[in-house]
Amino acid sequence: MPIPANDPTRKTWLPVADNSDFPIQNIPFGVFLTRDDIITIGTRIGDYAIDLGALHQLGYFKDIPLTDDIFLQDTLNDFISDGQKTWRAVRNRISEIFEISNDELKNNKDHKDVVLFAMNEIEMQLPVQIGDYTDFYSSKEHATNVGSMFRDPENALLPNWLHLPVGYHGRSSTIIPSGTPIRRPVGQTIPKEAEKPVFGPSKLVDFELEMAFITTDANVLGEPIPVHEAEDYIFGLVLFNDWSARDIQKWEYVPLGPFLAKSFASTISPWIVTLDALEPFRVDSPSQEPEPLPYLQLNGKHSFDISLEVDLITNDESATTVTKSNFKYMYWTMAQQLAHHTINGCKINSGDMMGSGTISGPTPDSYGSMLELSWQGKNPVKLNDGSERRFVEDNDTVVLRGYCKNSSVRIGFGEAATKLLPALEFKN
Amino acid sequence: MPIPANDPTRKTWLPVADNSDFPIQNIPFGVFLTRDDIITIGTRIGDYAIDLGALHQLGYFKDIPLTDDIFLQDTLNDFISDGQKTWRAVRNRISEIFEISNDELKNNKDHKDVVLFAMNEIEMQLPVQIGDYTDFYSSKEHATNVGSMFRDPENALLPNWLHLPVGYHGRSSTIIPSGTPIRRPVGQTIPKEAEKPVFGPSKLVDFELEMAFITTDANVLGEPIPVHEAEDYIFGLVLFNDWSARDIQKWEYVPLGPFLAKSFASTISPWIVTLDALEPFRVDSPSQEPEPLPYLQLNGKHSFDISLEVDLITNDESATTVTKSNFKYMYWTMAQQLAHHTINGCKINSGDMMGSGTISGPTPDSYGSMLELSWQGKNPVKLNDGSERRFVEDNDTVVLRGYCKNSSVRIGFGEAATKLLPALEFKN
């Protein structure tokens, strides 16, 4: 069934630059603080943020069953909880309101005054209260690179990797929106061949280029989500930088997995781009050999062609694109991840988030972390200002970007940008 | 500074059995559903649940700064967020109201009718919305047992274990209150010497005897909690059964840690016993060698003498106490766990929960899991009905209990009881 909001020929009466991430075919969802210090749920077209709370109060959604305060909230959780049929109806209706030939809002200056905000007047917030956050490890190239570096290039993938989407539980409380600076984390690391750990700032802070999807309430405790239904429970996607302290991780992670090496911060882009908006960019899923167990089998186009790139901006504002990758490189699809996650009956709630794992492509210029790009620091990455990087340095800003593009439309994610500040000073 | 509610000579006008877990010196906090289907925050004395929402509406807390609806909520998060000074004032005031010589409520039948409920009239709920849940691995005996079984008895502890409280992020959405039955989880396991995994119900479902503490808002992103302040941010403790599927875990957990082997369910006791109530039961913390890094150093009594035991009840209602352990056996204290958790700046919120890890004592009858009690199934545990168990079987109920006791008072936790139902049937 076609989704009207995806019609590539549709134009809007709002100005939208040619290369904008946010044409009328996107219509992402987010939460923002207005110039009057009011928090509201909104969407974005071009460089305008649109207050959905105000639109709803003015009656623009009267034909859709919605509670009065559904958009007057500081998270999208309740709206996401309303389910796919409601998200789709709202997105289609927004598309209709802003369609170029529709005068109902276009010609109503009073309404426009309370509905439209220039992007530079507002402050984006975390779009959801993330109940549980899971991170997968689903790029074969990334897992192979890491396995080659730390174990054995001949047996880089562990035995379970090709049979299930390896994943682990992460920390929700430190997921932050783009623009929030972070501090270099402090902790225990073990110097080479030392017997005892030392204390201090991590020396190997890294980004991880990921995407993450946000779910709706999907099941009750004890019941799995079948793989062929899984996508119905995915609201949308964001860019995700899973900040990592490689030296802290190395010392702490055996046998229970990464902990403080990850939980100091993870950055998401603030606009959730719906799975509906990404429909035109479905591509074949990778062929999987050996064949997965039946509960993970799903034919068809369940991967998405999303171009990804990372800029590293130094303190003097010189930017270098250090990698270009693509979400379609993932070996395990989101549907498989969600089916696997729930095969044990694990309950999935509205606002849960699942990261893809670092998305590395097949070539060295498409790797998704400094660890891989500099190959453990052996091949420093050259920056445009003449300096070089093995890992991320103090006062560097890391910017993730992502977009889909075909001959008629470009759907983008904006950015997930984070500045790494120096560590707090400790008296120890 | 003495806490009046802890006065061991204090008696209450409510009937309390001699061996009750809930004398007037306990005053735990929980959330319950009343006979009128109203959810409220309450406490318990003897076999009475006390509606704090009703008490507050009747003016009994008028001298304490509290918002009107602080107890008329379905979780304790906001109350916990009010901080230690408020919890202490409320607990002391409850103790005063129910003190034997205090007539204000005792002689007011109308008030008693809306405030007091027999325990069998109410239904206990999950006491907090758990934002993030972390599980530690802080019993030296347990880590040694597991390391001996799966690695090398001569080097059972991994190199990091004595230097930091090893921990990992867990799944919050499947933490359930005592009384909620669960299903045997289904998933991938690898048969011995097989090359490919198989699909089906876990054959090695186990309990883990743990305790967990609940925190208040403690810090801002990027700032650690010093170890000597950490206890101020701990509201209280519950019993915690960290259900585990050993065969699923074995196949999935390398390299990122346990995932679906844990996330099918974890059970807590519904009454949070405050750290204040446990004050009389502080004991010396274990001596730690090698000396931890300075950020983990804390002298004094930061362990707690809490007797723990686990009953396994078969489907014919025959009960066997399969282990007796004690919370004081933990090598790493709660203060050290919280200081370590935040050394990287990880933000701690009200309602976060941190599990101790399986609490095994020094002798084989004090081990905290069937894995250890049956030593990987080699020494089946004999039950009182003549059957034996290597792991938990379908329709078994596992009951955790815990209490502190000295010559004048007994403070208990009630129980965390869970029945394991058979796996869902799958067509695969």
Side-chain angles (χ1 to χ4, degrees), chain B residues 157-173:
Chain B
L157 289 182
L158 287 163
N160 57 15
W161 201 94
L162 290 169
H163 294 283
L164 55 83
V166 170
Y168 67 107
H169 306 296
R171 180 88 193 170
S172 300
S173 74

Side-chain angles (χ1 to χ4, degrees), chain B residues 2-6 10 27 87-97:
Chain B
I3 299 168
N6 290 351
R10 188 168 286 200
I27 311 184
W87 323 325
R88 212 167 258 181
V90 167
R91 183 165 166 272
N92 285 335
R93 174 64 182 140
I94 294 169
S95 174
E96 194 177 275
I97 297 167

